[in-house]
């Protein structure tokens, strides 16, 4: 057994995690005991083999990473405590050392269910280290420490020695990160997906998600999270927002004002002439309301619900638009209510196809152009509000409302 120490790598303790009332997000902040009297905790951002016995592995107060090279040879790197950073861990495990528990999501928005739905998310998927001093830089690393304060990379995990003689490696299904070009704003464009190593180095993607051969080192890129960075854990994709970025995002109050403004315009069904209205988010997404607007996702014409125009030979959801005669899915419209997913506070003018979630034009076009990892080596754009795979030429459609005749 080879025991190596790495004094340059610090492993801070895990601080308290605060969960806000908004479902689906996670606040990363410094522990309250570190704050001075009268000060608020620092908010960093929002958000997901048999080991060899040694003194480092058996000591729960000593964080370490074990790289198993063979059944008789392991390299163990010990980590020291760092009082200048906070560590937050993300994974599938519900144990106390995991700050943010994530589960697999299936296309359509729900969690993967059933006995055959085996999770591909690691129990200890990744960890985020945040500087306690301005500008509160956040860095992401693959893998998290278990209940024994250890990370184990088995024989089949990709691992290697770096040119400076240290060890590094990748987790089985990998942790992928994509930083948007131009930040997360009206001018954003999708970036390039990279893989993050256990030590936080950046690599090009492997040939397949769990291949043992690593990609090429990308020396001019780092593991520092930016506003709008996407983190994929092979089963769930998380969006990192910074406090400064969230100040530019629309608030729930603004989204509600947009809903009321859209309803005040009294849009009408062009055939039934009934007044349409987006339901209140307080109702929840259950059965569509009788005044709910519906859309033909191929053309964007908005109607009230009706039962005619079916083309069952092409599928149960296929309808023919009575205005332009295009045949395609006919679905209810739902206003997207997660403000952190929006690039700008623009009006709700576009809908994702085929799920019908509504947001601003720039938000819709950005997510429709952003490929998200799927499976071992595939990528597919998806609705950020429900996870449904996008279809059609553009993945979204401009909504065409008819105003009141009076």
């Amino acid at each position: 057994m080879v025991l190596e120490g790495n004094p340059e790598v610090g492993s801070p303790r895990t601080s308290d995690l605060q969960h806000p009332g908004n479902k689906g997000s996670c606040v990363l902040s410094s522990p309250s005991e570190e704050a001075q009297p009268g000060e608020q905790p620092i908010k960093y951002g929002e958000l997901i083999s048999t080991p060899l016995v040694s003194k480092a592995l058996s000591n729960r107060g000593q964080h370490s990473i074990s790289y198993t090279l063979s059944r008789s040879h392991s390299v163990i790197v010990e980590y020291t405590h760092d009082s200048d950073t906070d560590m937050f861990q993300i994974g599938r495990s519900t144990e106390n050392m995991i700050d943010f528990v994530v589960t697999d999501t299936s296309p359509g928005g729900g969690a993967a269910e059933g006995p055959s739905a085996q999770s591909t998310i690691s129990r200890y998927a990744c960890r985020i280290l945040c500087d306690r001093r301005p500008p509160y830089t956040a860095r992401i690393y693959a893998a998290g420490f278990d209940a024994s304060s250890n990370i184990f990379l088995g024989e089949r995990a990709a691992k290697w020695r770096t040119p400076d003689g240290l060890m590094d490696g990748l987790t089985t299904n990998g942790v992928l990160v994509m930083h948007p070009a131009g930040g997360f704003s009206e001018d954003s464009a999708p970036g390039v997906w990279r893989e993050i190593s256990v030590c936080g180095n950046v690599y090009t993607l492997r040939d397949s998600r769990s291949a043992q051969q690593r990609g090429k080192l990308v020396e001019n890129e780092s593991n520092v999270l930016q506003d709008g960075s996407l983190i994929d854990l092979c089963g769930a994709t998380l969006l990192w927002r910074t406090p400064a970025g969230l100040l530019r995002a629309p608030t729930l109050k603004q989204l509600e004002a947009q809903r009321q403004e859209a309803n005040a315009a009294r849009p009408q069904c062009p055939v039934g002439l009934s007044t349409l209205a987006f339901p209140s988010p307080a109702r929840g997404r259950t059965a569509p309301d009788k005044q709910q607007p519906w859309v033909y996702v191929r053309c964007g014409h908005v109607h009230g619900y009706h039962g005619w125009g079916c083309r069952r030979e092409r599928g149960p959801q296929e309808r023919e638009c009575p205005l332009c005669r295009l045949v395609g899915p006919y679905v209810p419209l739902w206003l997207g209510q997660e403000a952190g997913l929006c690039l700008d506070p623009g009006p709700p003018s576009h809908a994702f196809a085929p799920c019908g979630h509504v947001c601003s034009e720039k938000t819709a076009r950005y997510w429709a152009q952003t490929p998200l990892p799927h499976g071992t080596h595939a990528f597919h754009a998806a609705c950020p509000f429900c996870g449904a795979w996008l279809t059609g030429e553009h993945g979204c459609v401009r909504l065409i409302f008819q105003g009141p005749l009076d």
Side-chain angles (χ1 to χ4, degrees):
M1 178 185 297
V2 179
L3 182 65
E4 296 184 349
N6 187 351
E8 297 181 357
V9 182
S11 175
R13 67 178 180 272
T14 302
S15 67
D16 295 334
L17 183 73
Q18 303 174 1
H19 292 277
N22 192 17
K23 184 179 180 182
S25 64
C26 169
V27 177
L28 275 61
S29 64
S30 64
S32 56
E33 64 267 18
E34 297 291 337
Q36 298 298 321
E39 293 183 353
Q40 295 296 320
I42 300 168
K43 179 178 177 181
Y44 296 122
E46 289 189 25
L47 298 147
I48 322 198
S49 69
T50 303
L52 297 174
V53 178
S54 74
K55 181 178 179 180
L57 296 183
S58 60
N59 181 7
R60 293 195 175 191
Q62 173 70 62
H63 289 76
S64 64
I65 299 181
S66 173
Y67 300 86
T68 304
L69 304 181
S70 67
R71 292 186 178 182
S72 59
H73 185 192
S74 287
V75 175
I76 300 174
V77 179
E78 297 183 14
Y79 279 52
T80 58
H81 287 279
D82 185 352
S83 60
D84 295 326
T85 57
D86 284 315
M87 181 174 71
F88 304 89
Q89 300 208 137
I90 303 170
R92 175 171 50 87
S93 173
T94 57
E95 297 174 88
N96 291 336
M97 76 290 304
I98 296 298
D99 300 292
F100 188 23
V101 179
V102 293
T103 57
D104 299 71
T105 54
S106 59
E113 298 179 351
S116 60
Q118 184 175 359
S119 177
T120 52
I121 301 175
S122 171
R123 290 182 300 162
Y124 318 105
C126 68
R127 61 199 192 278
I128 296 175
L129 270 63
C130 303
D131 291 344
R132 287 182 172 177
R133 295 183 175 86
Y136 310 117
T137 303
R139 297 175 175 85
I140 186 169
Y141 301 80
F145 295 98
D146 62 15
S148 301
S149 300
N150 299 313
I151 293 175
F152 296 95
L153 293 183
E155 288 186 63
R156 293 186 295 177
K159 64 188 78 68
W160 61 92
R161 283 190 180 273
T162 61
D164 53 5
L166 300 177
M167 293 296 299
D168 201 357
L170 305 173
T171 55
T172 301
N173 289 331
V175 174
L176 308 187
V177 171
M178 188 271 281
H179 305 302
F184 199 70
S185 64
E186 298 179 8
D187 301 322
S188 292
V192 179
W193 283 98
R194 304 296 194 192
E195 182 163 9
I196 304 298
S197 72
V198 172
C199 292
N201 294 310
V202 181
Y203 291 85
T204 60
L205 301 187
R206 289 177 271 182
D207 291 338
S208 64
R209 196 72 189 242
S210 58
Q212 289 189 311
Q213 180 62 42
R214 70 180 186 272
K216 295 181 179 179
L217 178 66
V218 184
E219 296 184 358
N220 62 340
E221 296 182 19
S222 75
N223 62 337
V224 174
L225 294 175
Q226 307 169 13
D227 188 40
S229 292
L230 289 174
I231 305 168
D232 188 83
L233 305 178
C234 194
T237 304
L238 309 178
L239 173 66
W240 174 264
R241 298 302 311 270
T242 62
L246 288 172
L247 291 176
R248 298 189 297 268
T251 63
L252 291 177
K253 186 176 181 179
Q254 287 176 310
L255 294 180
E256 174 59 17
Q258 290 179 350
R259 183 188 74 86
Q260 295 182 10
E261 183 178 355
N263 291 344
R266 295 171 56 208
Q268 287 190 341
C269 174
V271 177
L273 302 182
S274 59
T275 300
L276 307 177
F278 287 102
S280 170
R283 282 188 64 248
R285 183 170 175 172
T286 54
D289 186 86
K290 63 179 181 180
Q291 288 187 292
Q292 187 111 11
W294 288 62
V295 66
Y296 291 90
V297 296
R298 283 196 63 195
C299 59
H301 286 116
V302 179
H303 291 248
Y305 178 77
H306 55 75
W308 32 263
C310 296
R311 291 293 182 268
R312 299 196 180 280
E313 70 277 6
R314 297 182 56 176
Q317 288 290 101
E318 299 291 303
R319 301 285 186 91
E320 180 182 84
C321 176
L323 298 184
C324 65
R325 301 302 180 185
L326 281 176
V327 177
Y330 176 63
V331 298
L333 292 174
W334 304 91
L335 290 173
Q337 291 298 312
E338 180 51 69
L341 298 173
C342 301
L343 272 74
D344 68 332
S349 60
H350 284 63
F352 290 107
C355 61
H357 274 106
V358 181
C359 58
S360 70
E361 177 181 5
K362 291 185 177 180
T363 297
R365 295 197 183 282
Y366 173 78
W367 289 107
Q369 297 170 3
T370 301
L372 301 181
H374 170 67
T376 58
H377 54 267
F379 289 82
H380 206 294
C383 171
F385 301 105
C386 70
W389 295 351
L390 302 184
T391 60
E393 182 179 356
H394 303 291
C396 61
V397 63
R398 182 176 67 89
L399 298 176
I400 304 174
F401 290 92
Q402 176 172 297
L405 296 180
D406 55 4

